Amino acid sequence: MNVGDELPPLRVRITRDQLIRYAGASLDFNPIHWNESFAKNVGLPDVIAHGMLTMALAGRVVTDWLGDPGRLVDLSTRFTRPVVVPNDEQGALVEFTGKVAAISDDGIARIDLVAKFDGQTVLGRPQANVRVS
C-alpha cells in the first residue's frame, strides 16, 4: 500500500426494492425512503436512499479492496446531497472511488473516498482509516 494508490471503483444501482430491504435491516422506516408522496410533500424530489446505506457502500469500496473487513478501523462522512431513487428497475447509479491519501508511522492509512450520483458528490469528506497490514 502506497500513498496515491487508487482503489478499484465500485458502481452500484440502488433500487426501491433495496431501500425496503435496507429499511427492514436497519429499522429505519422513515417514509422519505419508501413513500413517494410523503417525500415530495416534505420538499424532496422523490424517494431518497438512506444516508447510512450510501455510507456503507462507500465503505464497501475499502473492504472489497482490503479483502479483510477487520482492517477497517474507522469510516466517517457527512451527508451532503440525497441519492434520489426513481421507481423503476434501473434505480439510481452511485459511483464510488477511493485513493490512499496518507500513511502514518503507526501503520494506519487514510483513504479518501468519493461518492457520486448524477455527476455530483453525495457525501462530504468521506474517509476511511485502515490498518496497513
Side-chain angles (χ1 to χ4, degrees):
M1 183 181 308
N2 297 297
V3 172
D5 286 354
E6 294 187 11
L7 285 61
L10 175 67
R11 296 168 46 112
V12 178
R13 289 200 175 273
I14 301 174
T15 63
R16 296 263 179 110
D17 179 60
Q18 289 169 318
L19 295 183
I20 297 299
R21 291 170 194 255
Y22 184 82
S26 67
L27 301 179
D28 181 352
F29 295 103
N30 187 322
I32 63 173
H33 303 304
W34 58 270
N35 184 315
E36 191 171 314
S37 175
F38 184 89
K40 288 180 177 181
N41 282 337
V42 298
L44 295 168
D46 208 333
V47 165
I48 63 169
H50 301 74
M52 293 301 289
L53 172 59
T54 307
M55 181 179 178
L57 292 168
R60 187 174 138 199
V61 172
V62 177
T63 58
D64 284 357
W65 175 65
L66 290 172
D68 176 7
R71 289 174 53 199
L72 178 64
V73 175
D74 180 68
L75 178 65
S76 63
T77 192
R78 294 180 183 168
F79 304 110
T80 57
R81 183 172 282 115
V83 173
V84 179
V85 181
N87 191 16
D88 60 26
E89 292 180 16
Q90 297 300 312
L93 178 64
V94 186
E95 300 174 286
F96 300 91
T97 57
K99 188 176 196 177
V100 179
I103 301 175
S104 65
D105 291 338
D106 63 354
I108 300 294
R110 188 187 84 226
I111 313 296
D112 289 344
L113 301 163
V114 176
K116 287 190 173 187
F117 164 68
D118 231 8
Q120 297 183 316
T121 59
V122 294
L123 297 176
R125 297 194 63 205
Q127 295 179 338
N129 291 316
V130 302
R131 281 187 216 89
V132 173
S133 57

